[in-house]
Each structure stands twice: as C-alpha cells, then as structure tokens.
Amino acid sequence: MAALADPTASSGSCLVPGVALLIPQLIADPKWGEEEIAPPGPREYSDMCRVVYEESGDERAQKAAELAAMEGGECMLYMNFKSHAIFGEEQRGKLFEVIRLTNPSVVCLSEALVPVALATHAGQLCELSTLVEDPENRIEQPYMAGSEVFATKKLGQYGGSPKVMQGAEGGWFEEFIKLGFEWVVFLSPTHCPYGRNWGNCMVMKHKPDEVRCGNLERLQYKKVWDASESRCYVGARYGDHITVSVHLDDVPAGDVRTAQAEELGQIVSAWRSEGSGSDGGEAEAAEPAETPAAAAAEGEG
C-alpha cells in the first residue's frame, strides 16, 4: 500500500516536493521524528490504524502539520482504512480531522468507498464543486459488486437492502471543499468484488497538469468471494513531479504483489520519460491477466 512521490521532481511546480505522510505509519509510530522508521508488518497495520483514529487530535498529528510547514514544502497524505467506516459519523469525522490537522495539498485514499457520483466519472479529473448537486451524490454499499458472495454478505449485514448515505448526510464532497480541496480523480479496479465505487482516489487542492489512471495486469482469485480481483492506480503530475497512489494485492501469494509493483514502476518510469503529456487524460492499462493462485484471505477494507 503506497503513495509514490517521484524523487526526481523539481521544485518549480505547483506542488513542490515536501513531506509525504503515510498514515498510520508516521503519526502512529512511537519513533516518529527519527530519520529512519521501519515499515510496519502486516499484523501491525490494523493496530496502527486504530491508534491514528483514536489519537487523531494528539501531539503527533499536530507535529505532522508543523513538520510540513517547517520543511517549506507542501504535504501529501496517504490513508488506508476500512472502507465501510465512512458510514460511521465518528469515524468519518476523525478522517476529516486528520486531514485538517495535517493540512495536505494532496490526499491519497486507497480501498476507499466513494460517492456514486464520483464512480460514474471514474478515470476523469473532476472538479469537486460540480459533483455536489449531482443526483448520484450518495455513498452506497453494495453497489455493482463484482461478487455475489460479497453482495449477499453486505445485504445481510444491512438488513436486506444496500446501505445508503445521501450526500447531504455524509457531506463527502462538501467536507473536502471546506478544507480547500477542488479536484478529485478516482478509479475502481476492472475486477472488483467490492463494488464500482470502491478503489483509489486522489483529492487535490491544485489542478494537476495531467492525471493518469489504469489497471495493473495481474489478477488474484479470492476464494472467500468466489471472484477474481485486480488492482488499479491513480496518478497526478504537477510539472516534473509525479505522484501515484496504489494499493497492491494484500494476499502475499506467489509473485502477484511483486509483479504488480514491477509493472507500476515501469508505468511511472515511462510517464516520467515522456515529459509533458495531455491535460487531464486517462491512460488505461491493459486488461488484467489472471494468475492461477487462489487466495483464501479476505481483502475488502
């Protein structure tokens, strides 16, 4: 799970190289502030997520904002959390509180459950203000799920009908606008058991010179959902600075994660070598190729 900032970026662009905050790694880690922090292991990740939500208003979150200001650059925030937590008023409030405290220019959300209005514009750079009054401004689950098993499970949890939070209630677009964000791009994987409004998104204060989105080629069969799952990425370019947000497959079976990471590296390298490209375009990757490996673990966030 990562947000990748291009290390070759120049400082003359709108989004200058600054501080990349990986949530929960930096804010939740007790060693935060030291030069080197070991990445969390799989079993530590959920605990770290819990810490950052429980302590979203503590000194470490404030320190993140102070560090960003001290470095003189703008801040990029990456966050991954249980997607259905967006339905909870308290959890949703803490999400936006972390964003307010760290004051990033770019927010990367992976495994995110987003409004249907955004999902219908998948792969496109959208202005947040144009989506507020969209008739599809609601968060719904399940929504066009790629797995009947997953859809049946969620319908059972929600009393037989999809859980729906109207835009006026959740205020997903409105909250980001209040925090100074104006632009958003989202993409759901081609093969996605969890619905067409589940995936990766980047929310930005400044309009990027270009956005690119696509699907990674390798598929992983998820036995628990009786369905195949692929992964996707979203990226934005400001001048020579490229940021790509992705969530690799969470089941370490075979070489799927390695193949996805290698492919993403090639995509970013090719993009960088092209220099300036088309404005706000979508670059779709090839149709994912399925791997024969079968994963029994549940991957939905």
Side-chain angles (χ1 to χ4, degrees):
M1 295 169 238
L4 308 176
D6 185 350
T8 66
S10 68
S11 59
S13 57
C14 179
L15 178 67
V16 299
V19 180
L21 300 176
L22 304 183
I23 301 296
Q25 182 178 337
L26 289 184
I27 288 182
D29 196 303
K31 297 180 181 178
W32 163 190
E34 297 182 4
E35 290 186 3
E36 295 183 4
I37 300 178
R43 296 185 180 181
E44 299 172 302
Y45 194 77
S46 60
D47 290 337
M48 286 188 170
C49 286
R50 191 174 301 110
V51 168
V52 75
Y53 277 118
E54 291 175 352
E55 302 183 10
S56 60
D58 72 355
E59 294 180 359
R60 283 173 289 185
Q62 186 61 43
K63 188 174 181 180
E66 292 172 358
L67 177 61
M70 183 173 61
E71 290 289 327
E74 299 195 55
C75 173
M76 176 185 71
L77 175 69
Y78 171 84
M79 190 177 291
N80 179 293
F81 58 100
K82 282 289 186 181
S83 58
H84 57 255
I86 197 69
F87 288 116
E89 183 177 357
E90 181 179 358
Q91 295 97 319
R92 189 169 63 252
K94 288 180 178 180
L95 163 67
F96 288 110
E97 177 67 5
V98 168
I99 296 172
R100 185 190 70 79
L101 282 169
T102 53
N103 190 31
S105 293
V106 174
V107 174
C108 303
L109 299 175
S110 66
E111 295 192 291
L113 196 63
V114 305
V116 173
L118 179 55
T120 59
H121 293 86
Q124 303 173 26
L125 179 63
C126 297
E127 195 166 0
L128 286 167
S129 61
T130 65
L131 299 174
V132 173
E133 300 299 328
D134 193 297
E136 301 285 2
N137 183 7
R138 69 183 187 282
I139 297 180
E140 180 176 336
Q141 190 184 51
Y143 174 76
M144 299 180 66
S147 164
E148 291 187 12
V149 177
F150 176 80
T152 298
K153 175 185 176 181
K154 287 299 178 181
L155 290 173
Q157 292 176 344
Y158 300 145
S161 299
K163 189 174 183 67
V164 177
M165 181 173 66
Q166 296 296 336
E169 176 187 357
W172 198 93
F173 297 128
E174 293 87 343
E175 288 298 324
F176 274 111
I177 291 172
K178 288 179 184 176
L179 292 170
F181 293 88
E182 297 184 17
W183 303 92
V184 62
V185 61
F186 164 83
L187 191 66
S188 181
T190 302
H191 296 74
C192 183
Y194 320 118
R196 301 314 302 168
N197 61 335
W198 182 98
N200 288 299
C201 76
M202 294 178 66
V203 194
M204 299 155 282
K205 289 184 177 178
H206 312 298
K207 184 178 182 179
D209 297 315
E210 181 185 9
V211 296
R212 294 193 183 187
C213 310
N215 283 276
L216 302 178
E217 292 188 6
R218 294 300 294 272
L219 285 177
Q220 182 71 42
Y221 174 70
K222 298 299 175 69
K223 184 177 180 180
V224 67
W225 303 129
D226 189 26
S228 293
E229 180 178 348
S230 60
R231 294 293 182 176
C232 66
Y233 68 90
V234 295
R237 178 180 61 81
Y238 292 88
D240 296 329
H241 184 74
I242 295 174
T243 298
V244 175
S245 182
V246 66
H247 176 238
L248 301 180
D249 197 280
D250 52 6
V251 179
D255 61 351
V256 176
R257 285 173 62 91
T258 300
Q260 290 174 341
E262 290 176 348
E263 182 188 358
L264 185 66
Q266 294 170 359
I267 291 170
V268 174
S269 295
W271 189 1
R272 184 169 61 234
S273 66
E274 291 176 16
S276 298
S278 58
D279 293 337
E282 176 185 353
E284 192 70 19
E287 185 73 9
E290 185 158 6
T291 176
E298 179 175 344
E300 186 265 336

